[in-house]
Each structure stands twice: as C-alpha cells, then as structure tokens.
Amino acid sequence: MTRLLFVCLGNICRSPTAEAVMRAKLAAAGLRHVEVDSAGTQGYHVGEAPDERSQRHAARRGYALGALRARQLVAEDFERFDRVLVMDAANLAEAARRCPPQRRDRLALLLDFAPQQPLREVPDPYAGGPAGFEQVLDLVELACDGLLAQLKGASAAS
Ligand code: 4NP
C-alpha cells in the first residue's frame, strides 16, 4: 500500500481538490493499492466541508468534494504517509518544521510532478475570484497525472 497526503493551509480549497482528483484518477486507472487523504497546516476550518466555491468548480469537472471534512496535519502523518505533497512553499516550510528530520524526504511540492508548466506553487484561491479555483483544478489535474504516471511506473517495476 502506498499512502499519499495532500497538504495546504486550511484543507478546504486546494488539498481536498487534490484528494478528490487523485482518487478519481487512481480509480480510473484501476490502481487500488494507493490511499489518499488531505490535511491543512492550520486548524481554522477543522471539521468543515470544502469551500463551496471549490465544491462547485470541482463538480463541473466531475469531482465530488462534499463528503470531505477538514483536518489539521498531525505528527503521525509523517509516519503514516509515504509522500506528503504540499501546495506551496510557505506550507512546505511549515510542514518541514514539524516533520522529524528522518522523514523530510517524504515531503515535496505537488507541482514537482507537473514540470511541464512554469509554476512551482498552487496559488491560494481563497481570497480571489472564480479563475483561481479553475487554476487550482488545472494545476492539480496536471500534477496528479504526473504522480499517477510515477506510481504506475513503480508498480510495473515491482
Ligand atoms: P486552502 O485555502 O489552504 O487551499 O484550503 C485557504 C483556506 C482558508 C484560508 C486560507 C486559504 N483562510 O485564511 O481561512
């Protein structure tokens, strides 16, 4: 079993989007040995469903976010998850600060898996307009394709 954790600030916009997109891509590819979850570095929205704007934009592309609930990143996540994929540099720094040194190699920026486009961070859409939510979906879909290709390669090799 491979376990992936997507991390953003509040766990109501970017990381639940990534969780739902990756889960859909794994199901479509028939990869059943990969578990997916998401968390926020901060606890402002713990227990809440994803932001309604994220839900609405994702639903238009066929991703259902409504059943997800926000939670905060905990120390145990660095033991449980093989990869902790973070949306931006500030949250990567925060996650790294809380991560035991021997687990830091599990941490990466999500967009490391989408090197064909110029951004390194998934911009926070929370305070902006609809285009930001579309951009999150575009970037997350590209990166999840990259991640999926790597996971397929790894399962073919083993
Ligand atoms: P997320 O977006 O990190 O993608 O879930 C945000 C959610 C909430 C806040 C900021 C960003 N906030 O300030 O409450």
Side-chain angles (χ1 to χ4, degrees):
M1 183 62 72
T2 301
R3 295 186 176 87
L4 308 174
L5 183 68
F6 297 103
V7 173
C8 61
L9 184 74
N11 194 211
I12 56 166
C13 297
R14 292 167 290 176
S15 62
T17 299
E19 178 182 349
V21 167
M22 194 61 195
R23 197 166 280 142
K25 288 186 182 291
L26 288 164
L31 260 65
R32 280 185 292 274
H33 64 286
V34 184
E35 250 180 48
V36 182
D37 195 9
S38 65
T41 59
Q42 305 306 317
Y44 317 131
H45 297 279
V46 168
E48 293 178 20
D51 187 287
E52 283 185 11
R53 298 165 295 173
S54 291
Q55 290 197 47
R56 193 164 357 102
H57 285 268
R60 286 207 224 123
R61 300 194 194 191
Y63 308 112
L65 270 55
L68 303 178
R69 294 294 176 267
R71 72 170 182 89
Q72 191 169 8
L73 183 69
V74 294
E76 203 250 328
D77 288 326
F78 299 112
E79 309 303 325
R80 175 169 167 72
F81 292 92
D82 304 286
R83 286 176 177 277
V84 178
L85 300 160
V86 189
M87 299 296 149
D88 59 35
N91 286 297
L92 179 64
E94 182 56 32
R97 200 180 62 75
R98 300 189 208 166
C99 181
Q102 70 273 20
R103 298 290 184 235
R104 295 242 166 93
D105 61 351
R106 298 182 172 195
L107 280 167
L109 285 171
L110 178 64
L111 292 189
D112 288 352
F113 293 90
Q116 70 273 47
Q117 58 75 49
L119 295 182
R120 307 278 27 100
E121 307 181 85
V122 181
D124 179 353
Y126 189 71
F133 290 86
E134 287 299 307
Q135 184 186 31
V136 168
L137 280 158
D138 290 341
L139 291 169
V140 161
E141 285 183 332
L142 265 186
C144 287
D145 283 337
L147 195 50
L148 186 67
Q150 200 188 83
L151 290 167
K152 277 187 187 163
S155 69
S158 65

